[in-house]
Amino acid sequence: MTMKPSAIRKGLDRGAVISIILIALIYAAVFVLEQIIPPTSMLFTVLKKGATYALVAVSMNLLNGFTGLFSLGQAGFMLVGAYTYGILTIPVAQRAAVYQYYDGGLVQFAMPIIPAIILAGFAAALFAFLIGLPVLRLKSDYLAIATLGFAEIIRSIFQWDKLGVITNGSNMLRLFPTFNDFNIRNADGEVVLYLSTLVPFLIAGVCIGLIVALIHSSYGRAFMSIRDDEVAAEAMGVNLARHKQYAFCISSFFAGIGGAMLAMYSNSVQAKSFTSAMTYEILLIVVIGGIGSVTGSCLSSFLFVACSEWWLRFLDQKQMIGDWEVPLLRNGFRLVVFSIIIMVVVLFFRQGIMGTRELPDLFRKRQRHARRKEEMAK
């Protein structure tokens, strides 16, 4: 059975087609740049971390923006995902070196990378299910405080010495596979094809695509009805407790995958890195991009990482113009300027960069504008 061209046009309008082509070109550009630019370039650092943060930001937006549940537990679920991935993928031969204070640790096997990443998501979702049973009865600020408290508690538990045979206590997990292990090497160990940046883009892209599909499904519409009016949603037959639990677990699942990606990016995992400040960074990315916009969360993730990790780095170093020293430039000044930029963006873009719009909407708007011009010309 073949689909008629008219049916294809109804399913995918011009804006959606252009968006798909643009995304494909971005992936192709990432692949090409990775082959021609030295792997030590800061560009790839930004792209890898930006892809990771984009996935976590979209997962938070699913909960905060599309379901209306104000949660601040994202760092905790990322921690669970990162630790699950690290514990399951450390090679058996390396476990004695990693768990040197715990007799090689309790787990004595190593899983392949992709299944371990998926299990990292399920582990985070399991924690979310257990936490959500009592916590999702709360609303607004109370829910935010409860989930923030969970993140701090789980961070302390994972550093508990009694769990050291599994989590390595307060010591870091290391020597597990990272993004660099996706590079293809020849018999001499030389890299012949770089994939260490394309792979995180693919993982994040697939996960974000699944979230977008969920948002446009009947479950997504139920989530948005809860955000708009819980009383009306319940009157229309939406089970509030069940759908809130679904949204909470699904968001945490993808946050867990984001945590595994962050572990692969950082080459190590330590609980003290997953502080509440990390959750605030993700929340800031969501707000800057636009609460209720997947495209906005993705764009602001890369802009946030690029500004904080790359473009403003020169502000932390003293600069000389001849014999004159530029004032104020010293260690930490980058964060001051970065904070000012964020304040300006928030003041002038109250709804974020994208508001509630998505990438296809930009092209649809231009298409409508062009049609109006044609009609006026006639």
Side-chain angles (χ1 to χ4, degrees):
M1 182 178 179
T2 58
M3 186 176 290
K4 295 180 179 180
S6 58
I8 297 175
R9 284 195 295 270
K10 289 179 181 178
L12 290 174
D13 60 13
R14 182 181 176 184
V17 171
I18 294 175
S19 300
I20 293 171
I21 294 173
L22 180 60
I23 292 171
L25 290 175
I26 291 173
Y27 275 84
V30 170
F31 174 76
V32 172
L33 289 173
E34 196 171 10
Q35 312 310 315
I36 62 178
I37 297 178
T40 55
S41 172
M42 278 297 297
L43 172 64
F44 300 125
T45 300
V46 171
L47 291 178
K48 292 174 188 176
K49 190 173 182 180
T52 302
Y53 270 34
L55 173 57
V56 180
V58 172
S59 72
M60 178 180 256
N61 212 344
L62 173 65
L63 197 61
N64 292 17
F66 290 96
T67 314
L69 299 177
F70 188 26
S71 170
L72 292 177
Q74 222 69 3
F77 299 119
M78 291 174 69
L79 182 150
V80 173
Y83 265 86
T84 302
Y85 172 80
I87 292 168
L88 294 177
T89 56
I90 297 174
V92 176
Q94 304 290 346
R95 288 187 178 271
V98 176
Y99 290 88
Q100 56 182 329
Y101 302 109
Y102 300 98
D103 299 324
L106 183 64
V107 179
Q108 290 298 320
F109 62 87
M111 290 186 63
I113 296 176
I114 299 302
I117 292 175
I118 296 173
L119 281 179
F122 278 115
L126 176 60
F127 272 82
F129 175 77
L130 297 175
I131 295 297
L133 292 175
V135 164
L136 290 179
R137 299 174 184 272
L138 304 173
K139 294 183 180 180
S140 188
D141 298 343
Y142 300 103
L143 175 60
I145 294 170
T147 51
L148 182 62
F150 151 75
E152 293 299 315
I153 291 170
I154 202 70
R155 184 161 61 91
S156 300
I157 291 176
F158 270 64
Q159 296 180 90
W160 188 26
D161 187 64
K162 299 295 183 182
L163 291 177
V165 292
I166 299 175
T167 64
N168 208 22
S170 59
N171 306 300
M172 69 173 60
L173 294 176
R174 54 192 178 88
L175 302 181
F176 47 75
T178 64
F179 290 136
N180 291 330
D181 290 285
F182 287 100
N183 293 331
I184 299 176
R185 303 175 183 273
N186 58 21
D188 298 326
E190 298 177 348
V191 177
V192 295
L193 188 66
Y194 288 95
L195 298 174
S196 59
T197 305
L198 182 64
V199 167
F201 262 71
L202 289 173
I203 296 173
V206 169
C207 292
I208 292 172
L210 292 174
I211 293 174
V212 171
L214 174 67
I215 290 171
H216 289 88
S217 69
S218 59
Y219 283 99
R221 289 190 288 273
F223 293 160
M224 287 185 277
S225 69
I226 293 173
R227 175 198 63 189
D228 295 336
D229 192 327
E230 289 191 7
V231 176
E234 190 172 24
M236 293 298 294
V238 175
N239 189 316
L240 297 182
R242 183 185 302 170
H243 282 81
K244 285 182 179 180
Q245 189 71 273
Y246 286 162
F248 196 52
C249 291
I250 293 170
S251 173
S252 302
F253 173 84
F254 289 110
I257 292 179
M261 292 175 63
L262 188 62
M264 299 175 75
Y265 164 80
S266 303
N267 301 334
S268 63
V269 178
Q270 198 164 17
K272 67 179 184 180
S273 302
F274 294 86
T275 61
S276 56
M278 181 177 290
T279 297
Y280 299 147
E281 285 183 354
I282 303 300
L283 179 61
L284 183 62
I285 288 171
V286 172
V287 172
I288 291 175
I291 298 177
S293 172
V294 172
T295 305
S297 295
C298 294
L299 288 176
S300 59
S301 296
F302 288 101
L303 291 175
F304 180 89
V305 174
C307 287
S308 60
E309 300 286 343
W310 187 13
W311 294 339
L312 301 180
R313 280 285 181 185
F314 72 95
L315 297 174
D316 282 348
Q317 301 173 356
K318 291 183 179 181
Q319 302 289 336
M320 301 294 295
I321 301 178
D323 295 330
W324 180 67
E325 180 181 334
V326 180
L328 299 177
L329 297 186
R330 62 197 57 177
N331 189 29
F333 187 64
R334 166 176 57 95
L335 298 177
V336 176
V337 175
F338 186 55
S339 301
I340 294 173
I341 293 173
I342 291 173
M343 290 173 62
V344 171
V345 171
V346 172
L347 286 173
F348 287 93
F349 295 90
R350 296 293 178 88
Q351 295 183 335
I353 297 173
M354 294 292 294
T356 57
R357 296 172 298 170
E358 301 294 352
L359 186 60
D361 296 330
L362 302 179
F363 300 108
R364 293 186 187 114
K365 185 176 180 181
R366 290 183 178 181
Q367 185 178 3
R368 288 195 298 268
H369 186 65
R371 285 178 179 174
R372 287 174 185 173
K373 281 189 174 180
E374 291 178 0
E375 291 174 358
M376 292 176 65
K378 291 179 181 179

